[in-house]
Amino acid sequence: MKIDRFLAKHDSLGRRRARQRIVAGRVHVNGMAETRIDREVNRFCLVEMDHIAIQKPERRLHLMLNKPVGVVSATVDAQHRTVIDLIDDPDKASLHLVGRLDRNTSGLVLLTNDGTWSKALMAPSRKVPKVYLVETRDPIPPEAVAAFAQGFYFHTEDLTTLPAALEILAERRARLTLHEGRYHQVKRMFHRTGNRVTALHRERIGGIALPEGLAPGDWRVLTNLEIMNP
Ligand code: URA
């Protein structure tokens, strides 16, 4: 929201008086005088007028979690443990998930309370790569590489999946990179080749990789570099 609109609501100041105070240098954002009436502010900004805080900033949170199998990617669930149950932070109730994993999938889950950040990361136009380790019931034939690169037509959504990079690591083990995230996408793609996924683990989302030292069930705050270059 622009700062003039934000201030207009405060004490029923109104847009005209809000603008006058901004231009007069009476408003500070994050400790700096702000004289632009079109400055964007959000709930993470400290906003002061005449050096009195009229909005205290909320704490911005960006976390990664190594989701174990059996835990659900949801904030509440009547039956199962959720990713939120694994987090020990006083502000965890403000978090939302940046993309989900199935209950029987393990690996990297991102959580944040910053909707602008998560929206930008998940925007379909960005085609952020998501990397999965896959184990299958049957051997993966070399022809599967071309089939995944070509894409599969999904009837329910009436679409063809984007080219996906399949790297065969062993007879029944592969690394798969997707640039989209459709419902049960990895499992459905393997199903289309007549195979079955027996284990699925997400290793990476864009520039954020699950570190080796982060055990299943553990989480940590993202580094500034990870937040800035996801
Ligand atoms: N694809 C799946 O089938 N399941 C997941 O959890 C993630 C991607």
Side-chain angles (χ1 to χ4, degrees), residues 58-78:
E58 258 181 59
R59 197 172 141 232
R60 209 188 284 254
L61 275 175
H62 303 86
L63 312 180
M64 67 159 74
L65 171 95
N66 186 354
K67 186 183 98 59
V69 166
V71 171
V72 292
S73 287
T75 48
V76 278
D77 189 275

Side-chain angles (χ1 to χ4, degrees), residues 13-127:
L13 202 59
R15 190 82 77 97
R16 192 174 57 85
R17 278 192 296 165
R19 287 181 172 182
Q20 283 169 349
R21 291 188 192 188
I22 298 165
V23 173
R26 291 171 60 183
V27 176
H28 285 66
V29 177
N30 298 333
M32 305 275 284
E34 182 55 77
T35 53
R36 293 168 299 165
I37 56 171
D38 60 351
R39 158 77 189 257
E40 287 287 337
V41 287
N42 57 32
R43 62 189 212 281
F44 303 112
C45 295
L46 164 66
V47 182
E48 294 165 296
M49 192 153 45
D50 299 332
H51 301 289
I52 293 168
I54 57 175
Q55 174 179 270
K56 297 226 168 89
E58 258 181 59
R59 197 172 141 232
R60 209 188 284 254
L61 275 175
H62 303 86
L63 312 180
M64 67 159 74
L65 171 95
N66 186 354
K67 186 183 98 59
V69 166
V71 171
V72 292
S73 287
T75 48
V76 278
D77 189 275
Q79 252 189 312
H80 303 283
R81 252 189 337 157
T82 71
V83 287
I84 297 287
D85 293 333
L86 299 174
I87 294 166
D88 168 26
D89 184 281
D91 294 323
K92 69 179 189 174
S94 69
L95 293 170
H96 63 264
L97 282 131
V98 190
R100 287 161 194 274
L101 290 177
D102 297 336
R103 186 152 65 90
N104 58 2
T105 300
S106 59
L108 179 63
V109 168
L110 300 176
L111 298 112
T112 184
N113 58 2
D114 182 351
T116 308
W117 187 79
S118 54
K119 247 190 229 156
L121 182 60
M122 287 296 126
S125 59
R126 267 200 68 189
K127 298 188 174 68

Side-chain angles (χ1 to χ4, degrees), residues 100-102 105 132 178 182 184-188 200:
R100 287 161 194 274
L101 290 177
D102 297 336
T105 300
Y132 295 89
L178 301 183
R182 309 218 167 262
H184 292 332
Q185 182 162 350
V186 177
K187 290 171 188 161
R188 289 161 78 198
L200 186 57

